[in-house]
Amino acid sequence: PNYGCWAPCVRKVGSIYRLYYSIVVTDCIVGSDPNVSWSERAFIGVAESNDLASNVWTDKGMVVCSEPDGVESYVRNGGSDWSAYYKFNAIDPSFIITPQGEHWLVYGSWHSGIAALKLNPATGKPDKLETINDYGIRIAGRGNVSTYRWQALEAPEIMYNDSTGYYYLFMAYDELSVAYNTRVARSKNITGPYTGIDGADVTNGAECWPMLTHPYAFNNHTGWVGISHCAIFRNPGTNEWYYSSQARLPVGVPGINVSNAVMMGQVRSIQWTADGWPVVMPERYAAVPKTTITEQSLVGTWEQIIMQYQYQTIQRSSNVVLSANKTVSGSVTGTWSYDSTKGILTINGNNYIVTDAWDWEASPRKVTITYAGHTANGLAVWAKKVL
């Protein structure tokens, strides 16, 4: 049958590299025998290499597949029958080795949520796939996880931060061409329960907050949409964290054919709040040298975006002015203060992390300052200084 390769994840395991990949069979196979009758079906496989530069991989076969759980019939009624009848959709693998040395695969897309599957360290596969319970346990869902079969979340990325002692589960919400946005939940245990910044139980279907990315636009640019399905990594030498994902231009950008169809890679810095939540910075990473940022550095006009969650809607910037007398005017009013030792700007009681950055929308491009953080209810706030 026809198939596609999706969403690889590669990690170093001892002296070898393991590459987990998705194979999605896109043909519908329809028949009376339930063992050979199915529509789109996904499989996760694993390959190994001793040397990334060689690009020589030994395929080790299937790790897990999309398996029916009996909620709906296995038999498909035709090529247009796309009913969600799998327990977990076996795509979008993320792999982690816990501090205790356990190996886990976290995977899933739509269907019944995100699964965590324990692996044998020697093989990189589960020891058995005999019953539906062997395919993993749900660690995140969206909505009524008992009955709802099309949950709009996918692309999990699982990371452990030894500075906080939490596992962080990053997930993509909604469709990928425009509405894609990134959420994160955390847990002290690899299998959960995972909770959001509001304490809600994401494992059992609560809406996940904070939201880290959303379709957005600063002035003088079309903006970016579809910003999710992330990879999270850190520089072991500096302990700096990074967020990498796809992004797309909006639909109908003049002069660009099918402007929304091309996925482009973007990398942003991650900073961490005092209470241990990740913040994705507004501008793409550009290795801008760090400078001493003072109170005087912050005085001026900023473009700020409060990322209100709106499906397929670009959140646009508005001007905020930080005055030398510590007042705030423009689209936000109130007062501000700055802790230069911690690099924290406080506006009306909300704390934001301040960093040097590259102004990608300026013409000509230039160095600037950005701040970012979360509102009390978990919405991302992004801003950059323009004057």
Side-chain angles (χ1 to χ4, degrees):
N2 292 326
Y3 66 90
C5 300
W6 294 6
C9 173
V10 62
R11 298 281 192 268
K12 191 172 185 180
V13 180
S15 61
I16 65 170
Y17 295 89
R18 281 191 174 142
L19 169 65
Y20 290 91
Y21 59 88
S22 306
I23 293 290
V24 179
V25 177
T26 55
D27 285 348
C28 290
I29 299 176
V30 180
S32 59
D33 182 352
N35 293 310
V36 295
S37 176
W38 31 275
S39 62
E40 180 182 73
R41 190 168 187 180
F43 303 81
I44 293 174
V46 63
E48 294 180 349
S49 177
N50 294 319
D51 178 16
L52 285 181
S54 71
N55 200 30
V56 175
W57 296 89
T58 301
D59 192 85
K60 298 294 184 177
M62 191 187 84
V63 177
V64 69
C65 64
S66 300
E67 184 69 6
D69 60 2
V71 174
E72 296 187 23
S73 169
Y74 196 16
V75 178
R76 301 299 90 210
N77 296 314
S80 61
D81 187 350
W82 295 100
S83 184
Y85 62 107
Y86 296 126
K87 173 79 172 192
F88 302 117
N89 196 18
I91 65 170
D92 298 346
S94 181
F95 171 79
I96 190 171
I97 301 175
T98 71
Q100 295 76 32
E102 294 181 344
H103 291 213
W104 289 83
L105 190 76
V106 174
Y107 72 96
S109 171
W110 294 64
H111 291 243
S112 295
I114 304 302
L117 175 64
K118 192 174 183 180
L119 306 176
N120 185 316
T123 64
K125 300 180 181 183
D127 286 329
K128 60 187 176 75
L129 291 174
E130 296 174 357
T131 72
I132 194 64
N133 293 328
D134 297 331
Y135 286 73
I137 63 173
R138 181 171 50 226
I139 60 172
R142 189 178 183 191
N144 189 330
V145 295
S146 298
T147 60
Y148 190 44
R149 305 292 289 177
W150 284 104
Q151 299 176 31
L153 78 166
E154 63 181 5
E157 174 78 320
I158 187 77
M159 299 298 292
Y160 180 76
N161 186 342
D162 50 13
S163 297
T164 67
Y166 280 99
Y167 295 92
Y168 291 85
L169 179 62
F170 298 79
M171 297 171 288
Y173 268 39
D174 301 333
E175 60 82 27
L176 58 79
S177 63
V178 176
Y180 239 15
N181 60 97
T182 306
R183 311 295 180 98
V184 64
R186 70 184 187 184
S187 175
K188 288 287 187 178
N189 302 300
I190 182 66
T191 55
Y194 284 85
T195 57
I197 199 170
D198 56 358
D201 187 347
V202 175
T203 294
N204 284 314
E207 192 81 352
C208 183
W209 304 102
M211 182 175 65
L212 302 179
T213 69
H214 187 282
Y216 78 98
F218 285 116
N219 289 341
N220 304 315
H221 194 268
T222 61
W224 295 99
V225 302
I227 311 164
S228 198
H229 196 139
C230 67
I232 307 297
F233 59 97
R234 63 175 167 178
N235 183 331
T238 63
N239 204 36
E240 294 174 317
W241 291 76
Y242 299 92
Y243 170 101
S244 176
S245 78
Q246 69 135 339
R248 302 168 185 244
L249 293 172
V251 176
V253 174
I256 302 177
N257 189 29
V258 290
S259 57
N260 185 236
V262 180
M263 292 182 285
M264 290 171 275
Q266 296 188 350
V267 177
R268 289 176 168 83
S269 170
I270 289 177
Q271 303 295 324
W272 295 87
T273 65
D275 55 353
W277 287 97
V279 173
V280 174
M281 300 308 291
E283 293 282 26
R284 286 168 283 158
Y285 180 75
V288 173
K290 293 182 180 180
T291 64
T292 300
I293 300 175
T294 65
E295 283 188 352
Q296 184 58 40
S297 306
L298 304 182
V299 173
T301 301
W302 298 70
E303 290 181 22
Q304 178 180 278
I305 306 172
I306 299 178
M307 302 285 194
Q308 301 288 342
Y309 173 56
Q310 292 179 289
Y311 186 74
Q312 291 190 332
T313 301
I314 294 174
Q315 298 298 309
R316 300 187 181 276
S317 62
S318 58
N319 284 354
V320 172
V321 177
L322 302 185
S323 299
N325 64 2
K326 300 297 183 62
T327 61
V328 183
S329 58
S331 62
V332 175
T333 59
T335 60
W336 67 275
S337 62
Y338 180 60
D339 185 337
S340 60
T341 61
K342 297 179 180 180
I344 300 296
L345 168 67
T346 301
I347 300 177
N348 296 336
N350 293 316
N351 293 329
Y352 303 111
I353 299 168
V354 179
T355 62
D356 295 287
W358 189 242
D359 190 337
W360 289 94
E361 294 79 27
S363 181
R365 292 171 178 161
K366 62 180 182 179
V367 170
T368 188
I369 307 170
T370 58
Y371 66 75
H374 308 132
T375 64
N377 57 351
L379 301 178
V381 177
W382 284 1
K384 67 171 184 177
K385 189 179 180 185
V386 292
L387 290 173

